[in-house]
Every structure is written in C-alpha cells, then in structure tokens.
C-alpha cells in the first residue's frame, strides 16, 4: 500500500513537471522561435502536443518510459535554444533608450556621462538632450526611493534618486531596453527577450515624464527619503556606477521576476551590511515603501505610513514646477 501511494505521488509530481515544462517550452518557442509565423506556430503546437501525449503516456505503463525519453530529447533541444540567446547592445533602440550612461571614477570624484534630460512636449514627442556632471562622493546627502503607480497599489515602477548639495539629484531607473516599434510584455520578460538598462536622468526628465506627460494610463509618483548613515548611500551610489560601466561592457537580460527594477535595487544594496531581507513586498513592487517603513528604513517624521504616503505624493507639485530649474526642490517642499 505504501509503495503504491509513493508511486502515485511520484507520477503526480512527474506529471506536474511535464505540464510546467510544456507551458514553458511552448512560450519559449512563441517568443524566441523562428521569425516565420507559420513555422513558429507549427513548432509551438507540435511541442504542446508532445507534452500532452507525454502526460497521457505517464499513466500507460507500456509507453511511459519511451514517451519520457522522447520528451527529454525535445526539452534538451529547448535548453540549447535557451542557452543560445545572448544579450546585445547593438539594436535599433527607441530614442529614449538609445544612449547608455557610464561613469569615470577618480577616487571620490565621479563624472557621470550621458545624463538624460529630454525636453518633453508629450510622452512620445521630445527633444533628446544629455549632459555630464561630476559628483563628489563625500558630499552625497540623501537616497530617495521613488515609486510610480499606474495599476493599483501592488504594481509600481521603483527607482532611486541620489541627492547632493545645491538640490542636485541624480535619478537612476532600471528598465527594459526596448527596440524601436516594440512594446513591453510581462510574459516576454521571462524569456530573454529584453535587455536591461540603467536610465540615468535628471529628475526633470524621469519624474516629470511620469507626472506631467504620461496619460495612458496616468501615473502617480511618490518620493520617500530613506534613513541611515550617508556612508551606506555612498557605497550604494558607487555600486550603481560600477553597474553602469559593467552593462556598457557586457549587456544583460531583463527578467520580469528575477532581474527587474526592484530586485536589482535589492541586489545592489548587498554592498551594505544589514540590508533588508528578500520579501514578497519586494516582488509586489508597489509595497516596497510600506515594507521599508515597517523595517525602519524610511524617514517617517513620526507619521503613520498612510500619512507619509500622502505627503510623499508629488504629482501636483511636479505639475506646478514643470521645467523649473529648481524642480527637485519644489517637488519636495
């Protein structure tokens, strides 16, 4: 009786594995298969049928191991396809993602090149502009977490902004690097279809774009000041600079779950001892500020999180400031 039960559990687990790899393989072929629509569709259907046949054969003793062996061969081919996918910096990129930022590091003096500061007339109509700026790492005064919500409380884009004297801020947003004519798909993001980019921007660009120009859907932007000693902020800033240069030399893939805007921030924070532990609120990115509040990592001014969140909302102030030179100061008033 025990042996029969164990066998049943084993077959059930194997069936789940075949079903999961069947879905994964069909989607991989859909997104990374041949460019020919007809051939790609034929391969997707064929692999899905192979998975179904294998599932049925699992419960037919006579055919079980033959079907499993054939299915393993097919999965091996898909593994080879997966390993053949390589990231690149050489595509016809969307104009707002075409230029990579990089840093020249000379001790505490760090010159950041290609800081984006577009002049927007709408979300898609803009005049590209970039500048370079030298920062003294010893003068870093703050690290802010910025969240942009467009689909309810659980979903947000999260990025950081580093503050220096004179209300100078450097915002770094980790995003999907999209070629011209290509949109974003959450599912495609699991299958090595997008490269990763660190968009280094003036706040008049990356924040004002979201508060003043994005309409479909509109976005709500919040800025939270993190707490802690400045030396942690300096180590994090320096880690970001190293990542900029690393991605310029060797591109990497974006992944919807493991290599996205929030998980990259968490990974970069490994340079600081005592970083927060990985939590579901990091994966459900809209809850990152609440999680940091619970962990004592935000300046709260004695406010509840609901009160702090209301004060952190900057859309009205950003619209009033628009392209003003002191935009960063005014949105924090």
């Amino acid at each position: 009786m025990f042996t029969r039960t164990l066998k049943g559990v084993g077959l059930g687990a194997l069936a789940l594995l075949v079903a999961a790899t069947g879905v994964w393989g069909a989607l991989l072929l859909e997104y990374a298969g041949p460019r020919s629509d007809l051939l790609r569709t034929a391969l997707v259907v064929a692999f899905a049928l192979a998975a179904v046949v294998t599932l049925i054969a699992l419960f037919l003793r006579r055919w079980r191991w033959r079907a499993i062996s054939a299915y393993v061969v097919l999965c091996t081919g898909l593994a080879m396809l997966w390993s053949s996918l390589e990231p690149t910096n050489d595509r016809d990129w969307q104009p707002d993602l075409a230029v990579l930022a990089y840093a020249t590091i000379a001790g505490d003096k760090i010159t950041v090149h290609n800081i984006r500061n577009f002049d927007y007339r709408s979300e898609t109509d803009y005049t590209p502009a970039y500048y370079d700026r030298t920062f003294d790492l010893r003068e870093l005064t703050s690290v802010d977490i910025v969240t942009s919500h467009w689909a309810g409380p659980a979903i947000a884009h999260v990025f950081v902004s580093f503050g220096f004297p004179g209300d100078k801020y450097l915002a770094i947003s980790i995003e999907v690097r999209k070629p011209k004519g290509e949109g974003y798909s959450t599912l495609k993001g699991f299958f090595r279809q997008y490269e990763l980019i660190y968009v280094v921007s003036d706040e008049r660009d990356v924040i004002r774009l979201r508060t003043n120009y994005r309409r479909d859907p509109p976005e709500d932007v919040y800025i939270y000041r993190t707490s802690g000693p400045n030396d942690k902020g300096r180590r994090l800033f320096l880690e970001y600079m190293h990542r900029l240069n690393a991605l310029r030399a060797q591109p990497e893939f974006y992944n919807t779950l493991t290599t996205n805007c929030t998980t990259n921030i968490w990974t970069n924070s490994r340079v600081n001892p005592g970083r927060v532990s990985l939590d579901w609120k990091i994966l459900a990115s809209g809850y990152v500020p609440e999680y940091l509040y619970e962990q004592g990592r935000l300046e709260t001014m004695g406010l509840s999180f609901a009160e702090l969140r209301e004060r952190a909302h900057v859309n009205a102030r950003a619209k009033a400031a628009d392209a003003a030179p002191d935009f960063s100061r005014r949105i924090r008033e």
Side-chain angles (χ1 to χ4, degrees):
M1 182 66 177
F2 176 75
T3 303
R4 183 177 298 176
T5 301
L6 191 62
K7 185 176 180 180
V9 170
L11 279 176
L14 194 56
L16 287 174
L17 180 61
V18 170
T21 54
V23 172
W24 176 83
L27 288 172
L28 176 62
L29 288 167
E30 172 64 26
Y31 294 126
R35 292 187 177 182
S36 166
D37 290 343
L38 182 62
L39 179 57
R40 188 174 65 253
T41 300
L43 289 174
V44 169
V45 171
F47 184 78
L49 286 175
V52 171
V53 169
T54 304
L55 278 172
I56 296 172
L58 287 178
F59 301 95
L60 301 175
R61 184 177 299 178
R62 180 179 177 185
W63 299 101
R64 181 180 302 154
W65 294 111
R66 294 180 186 178
I68 291 174
S69 298
Y71 189 68
V72 167
V73 171
L74 292 176
C75 287
T76 301
L78 288 181
M80 293 173 64
L81 171 61
W82 176 265
S83 63
S84 71
L85 301 174
E86 295 288 344
T88 180
N89 280 329
D90 299 321
R91 298 190 197 278
D92 188 13
W93 304 108
Q94 290 184 8
D96 56 329
L97 302 170
V99 178
L100 291 175
Y102 65 98
T104 303
I105 303 172
D108 290 319
K109 299 289 188 179
I110 299 175
T111 300
V112 183
H113 305 270
N114 300 330
I115 300 171
R116 199 179 76 184
N117 189 27
F118 285 14
D119 180 18
Y120 291 94
R121 291 171 290 276
S122 72
E123 180 180 357
T124 57
D125 180 19
Y126 46 76
T127 301
Y130 299 88
Y131 64 85
D132 300 345
R133 175 169 287 169
T134 299
F135 299 91
D136 189 330
L137 191 59
R138 295 165 296 184
E139 294 180 349
L140 186 142
T141 58
S142 64
V143 179
D144 292 339
I145 291 289
V146 185
T147 63
S148 179
H149 297 254
W150 65 93
I155 304 299
H157 178 61
V158 183
F159 57 96
V160 299
S161 187
F162 297 94
F164 292 85
D167 290 313
K168 292 182 173 62
Y169 289 85
L170 185 73
I172 305 181
S173 174
I174 301 169
E175 302 182 13
V176 168
R177 195 179 191 193
K178 299 184 291 288
K180 286 181 180 177
E182 187 169 338
Y184 174 71
S185 162
T186 300
L187 274 177
K188 283 182 70 173
F190 286 103
F191 295 95
R192 294 186 170 183
Q193 294 302 293
Y194 299 117
E195 278 77 17
L196 187 72
I197 184 171
Y198 279 45
V199 178
V200 180
S201 302
D202 193 294
E203 288 190 338
R204 288 170 295 181
D205 180 312
V206 71
I207 292 178
R208 191 165 64 105
L209 167 64
R210 289 167 165 81
T211 56
N212 295 24
Y213 294 103
R214 286 194 174 164
R215 299 285 185 269
D216 187 23
E219 299 187 24
D220 285 296
V221 176
Y222 302 80
I223 301 178
Y224 302 89
R225 177 63 48 87
T226 63
S227 59
N230 284 339
D231 61 333
K232 287 190 173 184
R234 294 174 188 125
R235 282 195 292 266
L236 184 62
F237 183 86
L238 192 57
E239 178 65 15
Y240 267 84
M241 298 302 103
H242 290 317
R243 290 290 291 139
L244 292 182
N245 292 342
L247 287 172
R248 189 166 179 253
Q250 178 57 56
E252 297 177 14
F253 282 119
Y254 172 94
N255 183 279
T256 300
L257 181 63
T258 61
T259 316
N260 55 42
C261 62
T262 50
T263 56
N264 266 268
I265 294 172
W266 182 79
T267 300
N268 289 338
S269 69
R270 71 186 184 279
V271 296
N272 287 318
R275 66 171 174 172
V276 296
S277 58
L278 188 62
D279 187 90
W280 69 268
K281 287 184 178 178
I282 291 178
L283 302 178
S285 53
Y287 296 114
V288 166
E290 183 178 2
Y291 179 53
L292 294 176
Y293 179 92
E294 293 167 350
Q295 299 298 311
R297 304 304 174 94
L298 297 181
E299 291 188 3
T300 67
M301 298 170 285
L303 302 175
S304 68
F305 180 72
E307 293 169 330
L308 183 66
R309 186 175 188 272
E310 183 178 356
R311 181 172 292 192
H313 190 233
V314 302
N315 282 55
R317 297 192 291 272
K319 288 175 181 176
D322 197 30
D326 60 346
F327 175 87
S328 293
R329 180 188 63 79
R330 291 173 63 177
I331 63 175
R332 288 173 171 81
E333 286 180 339

